[in-house]
Amino acid sequence: MTESDSHASGESVVEVEFSIEDPAYPFVSATAGQDCIIELADMVPRGEDGYAEFFSITGIESEQVQEIAGSYETLEVHLLREYELGGLFEFLASGDCPAFTLAELGALPRQAISLNGEGRIVAEIPPQYEASSVIDSFLDANPDAALVSKQHRDSFTPMFTGSTLGQVLDTHLTERQQEVLRTAYDAGYYEWPRECSGKGVADDLEISSATFSEHIHAAERNLLTALFDSETGLN
């Protein structure tokens, strides 16, 4: 770790923000010439080579979103909640996304928003990674991107937030889904980088990997849908 990356104890998280205008990314191109906004609600790992990205998209018909995503082989889209003009979508990504690129480099994407063909993305880099190397690698892969800011934080932003979390869990998740989610969390399934695989959590629960996958995916979708709707006031 370089001197510029170290901070007091050397264990701080580095928060970085990038601007990006590369139309090769659907996150960016979808808002070019469209009066719509795309905003990342959350992002979680999926298997060994992909991520589930939950985006709120407003100002565009859901069918258009699915049509745009369908033109990319690295994306699979699911509509979770439809609004009057837009909705909450789950994108299963294995490429063609700046958040995916940052995640593969070891960073944890926290915020991403695209408007008028320009995207902004904020990510946190764990202390075990050299921030300057992550930044340089991302900029090398995205020549049109620019580093907007870089700052140190004492800890990560929690993945799941909200003052009504307990009520949301009881209302929107089954007891089994809560058990699976809690076991996965305690085992380090949501640590970055991940400390326990889905198979490991399934073994702890004495269930098959397929059953674990079914429960955890349903729990994440229900939780993210409820939390994001609660935070934005969308119904």
Side-chain angles (χ1 to χ4, degrees):
M1 180 176 292
T2 64
E3 181 179 355
S4 60
D5 289 335
S6 57
H7 173 70
S9 66
E11 293 299 318
S12 66
V13 174
V14 178
E15 181 185 271
V16 291
E17 179 179 355
F18 297 95
S19 65
I20 185 166
E21 299 181 9
D22 188 349
Y25 287 135
F27 164 72
V28 175
S29 64
T31 65
Q34 297 274 0
D35 188 20
C36 66
I37 301 175
I38 299 178
E39 186 173 7
L40 180 70
D42 222 323
M43 178 175 179
V44 294
R46 276 284 190 269
E48 299 299 324
D49 56 358
Y51 298 86
E53 301 174 356
F54 297 85
F55 278 95
S56 174
I57 304 178
T58 56
I60 185 173
E61 296 288 349
S62 59
E63 291 82 2
Q64 289 181 263
V65 175
Q66 293 170 314
E67 182 179 346
I68 292 171
S71 65
Y72 292 84
E73 294 183 357
T74 55
L75 292 178
E76 180 182 334
V77 61
H78 301 281
L79 176 62
L80 304 183
R81 178 71 60 83
E82 188 167 23
Y83 308 137
E84 183 176 350
L85 191 58
L88 180 65
F89 296 83
E90 178 189 36
F91 291 88
L92 302 181
S94 57
D96 292 315
C97 175
F100 175 88
T101 303
L102 283 167
E104 289 296 280
L105 292 171
L108 179 56
R110 288 306 194 188
Q111 301 173 26
I113 188 168
S114 179
L115 175 66
N116 297 326
E118 180 180 356
R120 291 283 180 128
I121 183 166
V122 176
E124 295 173 347
I125 304 174
Q128 63 265 38
Y129 292 94
E130 187 172 315
S132 59
S133 295
V134 173
I135 293 169
D136 289 344
S137 296
F138 181 77
L139 293 176
D140 286 344
N142 301 275
D144 77 311
L147 178 65
V148 176
S149 66
K150 172 185 172 183
Q151 59 183 323
H152 293 273
R153 298 173 59 92
D154 292 333
S155 61
F156 285 107
T157 303
M159 179 168 288
F160 296 118
T161 61
S163 59
T164 60
L165 180 57
Q167 180 180 353
V168 168
L169 289 173
D170 290 339
T171 303
H172 295 275
L173 271 64
T174 66
E175 290 186 5
R176 187 55 165 166
Q177 288 171 353
Q178 291 187 48
E179 178 188 12
V180 171
L181 194 64
R182 169 58 67 181
T183 302
Y185 179 84
D186 290 342
Y189 182 78
Y190 291 106
E191 293 297 323
W192 206 279
R194 181 179 286 173
E195 295 179 354
C196 182
S197 67
K199 184 180 184 306
V201 181
D203 290 343
D204 289 342
L205 291 165
E206 298 183 347
I207 59 177
S208 69
S209 295
T211 300
F212 166 76
S213 180
E214 178 183 348
H215 284 308
I216 201 70
H217 291 186
E220 289 170 353
R221 286 180 173 183
N222 292 344
L223 181 57
L224 266 297
T225 300
L227 285 179
F228 195 76
D229 279 357
S230 174
E231 290 172 0
T232 60
L234 295 171
N235 295 296

